[in-house]
Amino acid sequence: MMRHPDHLDGEERRQFTTVLAQCPELTAVHGHVRTFAEILTTRSRQHLKDWATATRAEVLPGLHAFATGLEKDWDAVVQGLTTCWNSGPVEGRVNHIKMIKRQMFGRAKLPLLRKRVLLTAAQGNHRHQA
């Protein structure tokens, strides 16, 4: 469901169609997920409010919660959807630091974590310059 339909091979597409045929709720979720993906891909903020309203018209608690979360911070969501700026590189770095911390679980405190983060950052810079 999370992959673009064009990226499914014939067998995957057949299996997915069979599963959808057996579960109307999943079919409804799939339609909303595809629509949401299209909104993100085309950055069409004008359709986002309609999408949130449409999800509330059906009995899909997971999507209701997601739409409510979007609406709680609507201005930031619209800003993120319509601007070319993103925090991807920063989030990637934070994720990397968390991974290093998990690898070191129970072994050391901040000084070693700091050293490992700085060393991996330096190694990453050398790779990008090469």
Side-chain angles (χ1 to χ4, degrees), residues 96-114:
H96 185 246
I97 291 169
K98 288 179 179 180
M99 183 211 44
I100 293 171
K101 188 175 177 186
R102 279 191 301 274
Q103 288 174 340
M104 294 174 38
F105 180 77
R107 293 193 186 107
K109 300 287 183 221
L110 188 58
L112 182 58
L113 176 61
R114 182 177 185 275

Side-chain angles (χ1 to χ4, degrees), residues 48-121:
L48 191 57
K49 195 62 149 171
D50 295 337
W51 179 86
T53 302
T55 61
R56 292 192 189 289
E58 299 193 44
V59 183
L60 302 168
L63 285 181
H64 289 192
F66 182 69
T68 299
L70 291 177
E71 290 171 342
K72 283 183 180 178
D73 205 6
W74 193 256
D75 291 338
V77 171
V78 170
Q79 192 70 12
L81 188 61
T82 58
T83 63
C84 62
W85 303 102
N86 72 66
S87 61
V90 173
E91 293 298 329
R93 194 71 192 135
V94 168
N95 190 44
H96 185 246
I97 291 169
K98 288 179 179 180
M99 183 211 44
I100 293 171
K101 188 175 177 186
R102 279 191 301 274
Q103 288 174 340
M104 294 174 38
F105 180 77
R107 293 193 186 107
K109 300 287 183 221
L110 188 58
L112 182 58
L113 176 61
R114 182 177 185 275
K115 187 172 189 170
R116 285 197 61 195
V117 167
L118 292 174
L119 284 173
T120 58

